[in-house]
Amino acid sequence: MKMEREQFLRMYVWDEASSTWKLKSGVEPSQPLKSPAEIKAEREAFLSRHRWNDEEGAWKPVNGPSRPTSTLTTEQRRAETARFMSTHRWDERNQTWVERKAMERE
């Protein structure tokens, strides 16, 4: 954590005028960071291709074509999103969703 903080401080400076962190001039991020919209889109893509199986306690691929998540009810969408968030975490370093280990979930 300390190393990540130091790396962040080498790359960014606090801008008082806008009250946000700004990338220092002449510094390029080590890898392109995904926007919150891109992160959400990846989560939605996963949910369209997988379904939670309560009996096995695991995500299972959907048979056939991806299911449109827009057809889910609000309750179904919330439940699946909550389940996904409890079984996956966003890995900042690799810019991807990573499945949590069973011990992490408990």
Side-chain angles (χ1 to χ4, degrees):
M1 290 291 270
K2 186 177 179 182
M3 199 163 83
E4 287 178 17
R5 179 182 60 90
E6 290 172 3
Q7 181 181 8
F8 177 84
L9 292 174
R10 280 193 298 270
M11 294 174 54
Y12 292 89
V13 62
W14 180 253
D15 180 29
E16 291 290 333
S18 64
S19 296
T20 59
W21 289 97
K22 301 271 183 168
L23 190 61
K24 290 181 179 179
S25 61
V27 175
E28 291 296 321
S30 57
Q31 60 189 12
L33 300 178
K34 293 183 180 174
S35 70
E38 290 172 307
I39 295 169
K40 183 178 177 183
E42 286 185 22
R43 181 189 70 204
E44 294 300 313
F46 178 91
L47 292 174
S48 72
R49 294 186 317 267
H50 296 82
R51 187 170 294 190
W52 180 255
N53 183 316
D54 282 326
E55 293 174 4
E56 296 182 31
W59 290 100
K60 295 295 176 187
V62 173
N63 293 331
S66 298
R67 63 189 175 126
T69 56
S70 61
T71 61
L72 299 175
T73 66
T74 302
E75 294 80 24
Q76 289 172 321
R77 184 185 249 340
R78 284 184 184 153
E80 288 202 7
T81 300
R83 174 61 69 184
F84 179 82
M85 297 304 288
S86 72
T87 59
H88 289 76
R89 66 176 177 77
W90 181 251
D91 182 357
E92 292 286 341
R93 178 168 292 163
N94 296 319
Q95 294 289 296
T96 186
W97 287 103
V98 177
E99 189 170 1
R100 296 177 190 263
K101 296 180 178 96
M103 295 292 287
E104 246 183 281
R105 288 188 237 156
E106 296 172 358

